[in-house]
Amino acid sequence: MRAKPEPVQVIKERRDSALDELVGSVPYIRFLGVHFERRGDELTAVLPYDEKLIGNPILPALHGGAIGAFLEITTVIELSWAQIWERMEGGEAFGDHPPLPKTIDFTVDYLRSGLPRDAYARARINRSGRRYASVHVEAWQDNRERLFAQATGHFLMPQGD
């Protein structure tokens, strides 16, 4: 006899809880106020506008360091989430999240000033193996087609179980 599938809401709550736990484990993410919107396995990072993020009050424009951190946070969470998602979809119970990937290098292209408003970012994993991953991330504000920053990074993947 076939086992009854779990209700969709239970699965959704388990996935959301796993993502919240992963994001909540990094204090700097909480400091910046970054949160993630999840649609299936796709994540969109959201950096809500806050006065503390302004680097040039004359323009005003978001601080380059905050933008770079936002992009790097997006890539690290995307890489970790991909590992967690694969495990959950494989039927494993979610326990502790895996260790976070370590940045090898991260290059940011500042395409235009970040305006004093919410920012969004999505990362795309170009390659992810057992030891190494390559990721591209793009950030926008009002219009997905008008990027204000993008980055490419290479990461050392955690060696685990």
Side-chain angles (χ1 to χ4, degrees):
M1 195 165 156
R2 191 176 203 182
K4 185 177 180 182
E6 287 184 288
V8 172
Q9 192 58 32
V10 171
I11 295 169
K12 182 184 180 315
E13 287 174 10
R14 184 173 54 239
R15 290 173 179 164
D16 290 344
S17 174
L19 180 59
D20 289 345
E21 184 178 323
L22 174 63
V23 172
S25 70
V26 182
Y28 193 59
I29 294 175
R30 290 192 309 264
F31 172 76
L32 288 178
V34 175
H35 64 275
F36 288 80
E37 295 176 354
R38 185 183 67 78
R39 300 289 181 265
D41 67 340
E42 180 183 72
L43 297 179
T44 300
V46 180
L47 176 65
Y49 172 72
D50 190 318
E51 191 70 33
K52 71 183 175 195
L53 301 176
I54 295 296
N56 184 341
I58 295 171
L59 291 178
L62 296 178
H63 191 283
I67 294 169
F70 176 53
L71 294 173
E72 190 168 4
I73 286 166
T74 303
T75 59
V76 167
I77 295 299
E78 179 68 35
L79 284 168
S80 296
W81 181 245
Q83 290 181 316
I84 291 169
W85 181 269
E86 192 174 299
R87 290 180 181 180
M88 285 193 307
E89 292 303 296
E92 284 185 45
F94 178 74
D96 293 334
H97 64 79
L100 298 174
K102 305 287 187 225
T103 305
I104 297 171
D105 65 56
F106 197 74
T107 304
V108 179
D109 298 324
Y110 298 97
L111 306 173
R112 59 180 43 90
S113 293
L115 302 172
R117 57 185 66 134
D118 293 355
Y120 307 92
R122 279 197 194 132
R124 181 184 71 249
I125 300 171
N126 295 325
R127 180 196 185 284
S128 182
R130 290 183 311 120
R131 297 181 44 81
Y132 167 88
S134 175
V135 183
H136 179 77
V137 60
E138 298 177 336
W140 68 96
Q141 290 183 305
D142 296 328
N143 182 342
R144 176 83 169 88
E145 299 301 314
R146 281 185 47 89
L147 303 178
F148 74 93
Q150 65 183 6
T152 301
H154 302 99
F155 299 84
L156 185 62
M157 297 304 289
Q159 301 299 301
D161 28 298

